[in-house]
Amino acid sequence: MNRVALFKELAEHQMDLLSPLFEPFSCPAGEVILRQGEPAEFLYVVTDGLVEMSFKPYDGTPITVSHVGKGGLFGWSAVLGSDNYTSSATAIEAVQAFRIRGDELRKLCLEHPEAGKDILERLADGVSSRWEDAHKQVKAILVQGITEKSKLI
């Protein structure tokens, strides 16, 4: 996890909480990592490679919505507490990543609110860098997803 630039600004005690929850993940080019409609289980942080994110409308063909490379994140549905992934992810190049179970990340944020706030800030930075002025919106969505899902626990 120390190789992930996204988390470099976290304090050592925050990394001590977060690091054990991440597991390494790798797959070859061409492999589908997650499918739209499948249970949303993991959030992925790419350390090497390239992932194509696609969305299939109910009555249409799949549409490529973005590409995620080194330092990027995908699998947000797991963090937001959604039951299923809303997009598919396919490795365009061989992928090296770390992944974390969404329910474990939500639990960490609830049990350690200060650390959770900083971690969510880093995650929001990771996705909002692709969209100008989206940081606050992304963070609000993450906090809302964690709060709503925690009511069910």
Side-chain angles (χ1 to χ4, degrees):
M1 281 305 301
N2 294 335
R3 297 180 295 164
V4 179
L6 187 63
F7 299 121
K8 285 192 180 195
E9 293 182 25
L10 290 178
E12 186 176 339
H13 72 278
Q14 294 169 327
M15 283 303 295
D16 290 344
L17 291 170
L18 188 60
S19 291
L21 302 180
F22 274 95
E23 62 184 49
F25 173 84
S26 63
C27 70
E31 185 170 307
V32 176
I33 301 167
L34 55 89
R35 294 184 197 283
Q36 180 177 333
E38 288 182 345
E41 189 173 2
F42 292 100
L43 170 73
Y44 295 79
V45 180
V46 178
T47 56
D48 196 29
L50 188 63
V51 176
E52 177 182 86
M53 302 303 301
S54 62
F55 173 77
K56 184 184 179 319
Y58 173 72
D59 59 350
T61 58
I63 301 163
T64 298
V65 292
S66 69
H67 290 92
V68 180
K70 184 176 181 174
L73 307 163
F74 66 94
W76 286 103
S77 299
V79 178
L80 298 176
S82 300
D83 290 331
N84 299 306
Y85 289 116
T86 57
S87 301
S88 295
T90 304
I92 295 175
E93 300 172 356
V95 170
Q96 297 292 320
F98 287 99
R99 66 184 187 178
I100 186 171
R101 292 183 185 280
D103 57 350
E104 290 180 356
L105 179 58
R106 289 190 303 274
K107 182 178 176 187
L108 181 150
C109 291
L110 292 170
E111 291 177 354
H112 305 275
E114 281 302 310
K117 181 181 140 228
D118 290 342
I119 291 165
L120 291 179
E121 188 81 24
R122 300 279 58 84
L123 293 174
D125 284 348
V127 73
S128 65
S129 63
R130 293 182 292 200
W131 304 308
E132 194 171 323
D133 299 323
H135 176 88
K136 288 181 183 175
Q137 293 174 18
V138 171
K139 186 175 176 191
I141 291 168
L142 290 171
V143 169
Q144 179 182 358
I146 288 171
T147 303
E148 288 178 5
K149 196 68 170 188
S150 70
K151 292 175 185 174
L152 301 175
I153 297 176

